[in-house]
Amino acid sequence: MDTRILAIIGIVLGLGLAAPGAAADGIFPQDGPQGLGGAAAADSVRSNLWLVEALMGEIVAEAAAHLPPAPARVLLPGTPAPTDLQGQLMRLVAVRVLSGRGFELFTGNADSLRGRTDVSVEFLSSQVALAYPEVGRTLGLWRRWVERDVTVASTVRLVESDSGRLLLERRLERRFSDRVPDEEFMLVDDKTYPFTNASLSGSGWQRRLEEFAVLGTLAGLVAVYFANTGD
């Protein structure tokens, strides 16, 4: 095939490789959230579950900044409902982060533990939103990368045990976005919880229209070339 035809095809292929604003390799940023367990190793695959736990850990860490110094006695009242999977995971992360910072943890009824704890910490509601808002394709057909967006929010209440004084009641939120190479997508789309996997975007008629437009452009460029180089 003529080198000029190859050049035309290369240009069109290049148009389908990256979305506006993408990094040169289509993956960014390289570092995950600095939360639970710190950043993952540079060559590790950061699953959706890892990201959710890390973002929850950052929320717990911000709440912990309002607590008395460790080893303060912290009450985690109540228990998330069996159907509240996000609340259950937040509770597990809270126990891991607070105990790791040296706090003495209690659970149970606040009245029965009166005088034995210093502060009560409640995560009143927790929400996780995972989406794949953009998919990068070659020629509009072959998937090259998937954009990932994770948001975690929780309403936190801190109450001084003896006086009942409200120390904090605030909705805290953390968000993280990156792009995942297609060959690693099955590793990050975690099935552990319903909120750690999601449907890919761009599966409707808009994606089909994009595919036909790109292929049509390629065919048109090749046709123009032959028309201009004919005898």
Side-chain angles (χ1 to χ4, degrees), residues 36 49 52-54 56-57 60 76 78-80 84-100 105 123 126 192-193 195:
L36 190 64
L49 178 59
V52 170
E53 287 189 331
M56 285 182 170
V60 176
L76 297 173
T79 303
D84 184 10
L85 298 179
Q86 297 173 0
Q88 291 179 19
L89 183 58
M90 175 62 85
R91 175 75 167 234
L92 291 173
V93 172
V95 169
R96 201 181 312 170
V97 173
L98 294 176
S99 61
L105 303 183
F123 297 92
S126 299
T192 306
Y193 294 96
F195 51 83

Side-chain angles (χ1 to χ4, degrees), residues 15-26:
L15 293 175
L17 289 178
D25 60 358

Side-chain angles (χ1 to χ4, degrees), residues 105-180:
L105 303 183
F106 293 79
T107 184
N109 185 273
D111 293 334
S112 64
L113 292 170
R114 190 174 300 279
R116 297 176 57 189
T117 62
D118 301 306
V119 63
S120 170
V121 178
E122 290 184 86
F123 297 92
L124 301 176
S125 63
S126 299
Q127 299 88 35
V128 178
L130 167 68
Y132 302 120
E134 185 64 38
V135 177
R137 297 179 183 272
T138 300
L139 270 181
L141 296 173
W142 298 282
R143 198 171 67 201
R144 183 168 179 253
W145 50 258
V146 176
E147 185 176 351
R148 173 173 55 172
D149 188 271
V150 183
T151 302
V152 176
S154 184
T155 300
V156 185
R157 176 189 291 166
L158 275 60
V159 179
E160 198 170 59
S161 298
D162 291 338
S163 66
R165 183 166 64 98
L166 183 65
L167 303 177
L168 177 73
E169 184 162 357
R170 185 183 305 166
R171 185 177 186 273
L172 304 178
E173 182 176 302
R174 291 292 187 275
R175 181 173 179 268
F176 181 78
S177 297
D178 67 350
R179 286 182 178 176
V180 180

